[in-house]
Amino acid sequence: MPALMALRKRAQGEKPLAGAKVVGCTHITAQTAVLMETLSALGAQCRWAACNIYSTQNEVAAALAEGGFSVFAWKGESEDDFWWCIDRCVNLEGWQPNMILDDGGDLTHWIYKKYPNMFKKIKGIVEESVTGVHRLYQLSKAGKLCVPAMNVNDSVTKQKFDNLYCCRESILDGLKRTTDVMFGGKQVVVCGYGEVGKGCCAALKAMGSIVYVTEIDPICALQACMDGFRLVKLNEVIRQVDIVITCTGNKNVVVREYLDRMKNGCIVCNMGHSNTEIDVASLRTPELTWERVRSQVDHVIWPDGKRIVLLAEGRLLNLSCSTVPTFVLSITATTQALALIELYNAPEGRYKQDVYLLPKKMDEYVASLHLPTFDAHLTELSDEQAKYLGLNKNGPFKPNYYRY
């Protein structure tokens, strides 16, 4: 994770997070551990819980605890365990967090619900998922957001790298590890053609799968068509596809009616953050039999013998069932660290009680820290060129409305 290592070297002397008490709720993986150790090196105290009941790497949680970090998580938590862990993370006598790092918004939600007075001392929230950002904008619209929040998900260095390239590699890994499926010739429907959907489709197409896409947004839909994918409604292909993948961040995308109509052996999984896209609750009825085949793999069997293969009970496939590329998570983790530093050190009044994007200069800085890994050499503008373009030679190089 080259950028985090560079950040430690450059900022360790300054300790830009000295006095920061960061409470975090993210996937607890080896990559998160490097982030936590980096935050600690920069002066912060950290307490952490997991944002997903299946994604915790137990050996990592144990190593962090052994290293003196307060971590409340284990792989395979129940729903009650999940909220208990978040509560234990937050509710400690004599320890008041002043920064929140969230992935999905559950930690922020819990503090609003149980400990609203804590927000008097919290300087800001950093959120990295579509789901969590959506919840923050809802709070802001309702006038209930009482601290500044940084929307890291829509930072260029998160959305255009983690969401796209991470999913492009990890979708195949998650499916292979759980089902050993062969992709060549398989008919796959990917619900949603945002950055996650784009990554999944690209990987499956490269492996020889026949890929259909569902979309609500005509712009994303047109992108899918121009990339060579057939745009369909889910009910048009549900009887024939071999794999169904959700990537929308929405709820009830795959409902019981669709599950009933799927062919025998259809694999069903989710690449969105939350577990709301597939209506798994509708499958827990007496007439259906659940059979655990291996870790994170269930066969759900209908009375006529038809079965579907449900992965991770509809939760995030890649982090529940496989791993994700460390290098691309270095980009996201560095963006999170810089967002924490920015909010923590911002002078009074710079950020109001609203949701903000990371300044573009910081996005560019994160990207630049990763270029040496590729032995990549940036071209520098001459004074004349910079003047012609109306730019500072050191950036930012694009206006805020540029879409990459």
Side-chain angles (χ1 to χ4, degrees), residues 151-166:
N151 166 6
V152 167
N153 179 71
D154 292 304
S155 296
V156 179
T157 41
K158 164 65 166 66
Q159 191 179 76
K160 295 291 181 178
F161 292 88
D162 192 336
N163 293 22
L164 175 64
Y165 300 115
C166 176

Side-chain angles (χ1 to χ4, degrees), residues 222-235:
L222 185 58
Q223 287 179 315
C225 294
M226 297 290 275
D227 286 335
F229 301 110
R230 175 88 185 281
L231 190 78
V232 297
K233 292 184 176 180
L234 192 54
N235 65 0

Side-chain angles (χ1 to χ4, degrees), residues 149-285:
M150 198 71 83
N151 166 6
V152 167
N153 179 71
D154 292 304
S155 296
V156 179
T157 41
K158 164 65 166 66
Q159 191 179 76
K160 295 291 181 178
F161 292 88
D162 192 336
N163 293 22
L164 175 64
Y165 300 115
C166 176
C167 295
R168 191 174 73 182
E169 299 201 16
S170 60
I171 179 66
L172 302 179
D173 188 26
L175 286 167
K176 277 286 188 194
R177 289 195 196 202
T178 48
T179 65
D180 303 310
V181 65
M182 182 171 178
F183 299 107
K186 289 291 189 298
Q187 295 194 56
V188 185
V189 61
V190 175
C191 303
Y193 202 68
E195 299 301 322
V196 172
K198 287 179 174 72
C200 292
C201 288
L204 291 158
K205 182 180 181 181
M207 296 299 291
S209 297
I210 300 157
V211 182
Y212 303 97
V213 171
T214 71
E215 245 306 335
I216 59 165
D217 183 330
I219 296 173
C220 293
L222 185 58
Q223 287 179 315
C225 294
M226 297 290 275
D227 286 335
F229 301 110
R230 175 88 185 281
L231 190 78
V232 297
K233 292 184 176 180
L234 192 54
N235 65 0
E236 294 171 354
V237 296
I238 198 65
R239 288 187 184 278
Q240 69 197 60
V241 292
D242 303 291
I243 305 173
V244 177
I245 303 167
T246 54
C247 317
T248 69
N250 205 341
K251 62 186 283 190
N252 295 337
V253 177
V254 180
V255 292
R256 177 63 189 268
E257 176 199 348
Y258 294 140
L259 293 158
D260 285 337
R261 291 168 58 201
M262 286 175 185
K263 69 194 284 189
N264 184 45
C266 185
I267 298 168
V268 186
C269 62
N270 169 47
M271 284 288 283
H273 172 83
S274 239
N275 62 331
T276 54
E277 303 199 33
I278 302 162
D279 187 8
V280 175
S282 71
L283 296 175
R284 299 194 183 279
T285 53

Side-chain angles (χ1 to χ4, degrees), residues 10 51 61 96 306 347:
R10 293 185 188 193
C51 69
Q96 160 76 49
K306 181 198 93 167

